[in-house]
Amino acid sequence: ELWLCDNYLVMRTRGVYIWALLVFGLLSFGSPHTALSQANAPAPHKAFHFFLHSDSIHTQSEERVYNRLSAFTSRLEKVKLRSSSDLKFLKTLFFRTHRKILHDYSPDATLEETLTTGKYGCLSGTALYSFLLSHFNYKYEIIELPGHVYLKVHLKDQTILMESTLAIGGFITDAEKIAMATEQYEAYS
């Protein structure tokens, strides 16, 4: 089920908003999975505002979430200034996000739950990474498979797979391992 609301395309599947897949990019069809890019995406803060409201988050809680996200992003901006490479920064971004925000895997977690309690699923975790990657102007695509979502970041000379549900092994830089992971994801879908 798809609908357009305030210039945002939203899909609802089995009671869970697939906002992570749609808010930061455009759908492209014709492959076994749906790939998204951040081209022509809405402003990340505006997009988060929309989905926090769609989660029925309370105003006081919303302010706390914005403050937390803003402080976290500010700390990452300082890290980026000191990083010697994009790869090094992205690795820090991935693991620090898991350490500071993504604590307990819960497949149906909403964005509100992710940002207030640390419960996350592949959708909310990928949405958070999408926001951060957009904020830092990285090119990425979100891959939607039946029952799973992950993303790939495209650097000048390298692609990185970011699997939000794997805190330890979810930052994959080796091209062969990315190909194997992609095959496995598609085989299980």
Side-chain angles (χ1 to χ4, degrees):
E1 179 180 345
L2 294 168
W3 68 94
L4 189 63
C5 180
D6 290 357
N7 296 323
Y8 296 97
L9 188 61
V10 180
M11 184 187 330
R12 187 171 169 88
T13 303
R14 292 184 306 259
V16 177
Y17 288 100
I18 314 259
W19 32 262
L21 303 176
L22 301 170
V23 71
F24 296 109
L26 302 172
L27 287 173
S28 69
F29 297 97
S31 63
H33 59 272
T34 301
L36 304 164
S37 75
Q38 75 276 25
N40 301 318
H45 288 291
K46 188 175 181 183
F48 260 61
H49 179 75
F50 171 78
F51 285 107
L52 288 173
H53 279 293
S54 74
D55 270 350
S56 301
I57 191 168
H58 303 292
T59 306
Q60 190 176 33
S61 181
E62 181 179 324
E63 187 175 333
R64 192 174 70 242
V65 166
Y66 283 129
N67 290 340
R68 181 177 184 209
L69 194 57
S70 179
F72 183 71
T73 305
S74 293
R75 286 190 300 274
L76 284 173
E77 287 170 352
K78 292 174 186 171
V79 170
K80 180 147 177 55
L81 290 173
R82 293 188 314 263
S83 289
S84 59
S85 71
D86 284 327
L87 181 61
K88 198 171 195 175
F89 172 70
L90 288 169
K91 188 174 184 176
T92 300
L93 180 146
F94 181 83
F95 289 108
R96 187 166 291 180
T97 301
H98 260 283
R99 196 171 67 247
K100 298 289 186 180
I101 298 176
L102 304 176
H103 301 293
D104 300 311
Y105 179 73
S106 178
D108 295 326
T110 64
L111 183 58
E112 176 186 0
E113 288 174 308
T114 298
L115 295 174
T116 57
T117 69
K119 291 181 180 179
Y120 70 96
C122 63
L123 292 174
S124 58
T126 299
L128 179 58
Y129 282 119
S130 296
F131 166 78
L132 293 170
L133 292 168
S134 292
H135 179 81
F136 290 104
N137 296 313
Y138 285 101
K139 294 179 182 170
Y140 64 91
E141 63 181 316
I142 297 172
I143 311 298
E144 176 195 13
L145 300 169
H148 191 57
V149 179
Y150 64 98
L151 58 84
K152 291 181 181 177
V153 182
H154 301 287
L155 300 178
K156 217 181 268 186
D157 56 349
Q158 186 175 15
T159 297
I160 300 162
L161 188 146
M162 292 175 81
E163 169 54 74
S164 65
T165 62
L166 297 175
I168 303 296
F171 187 83
I172 305 171
T173 58
D174 181 80
E176 287 181 28
K177 289 180 181 178
I178 291 172
M180 287 189 323
T182 302
E183 265 183 51
Q184 288 176 338
Y185 292 143
E186 290 179 2
Y188 289 114
S189 297

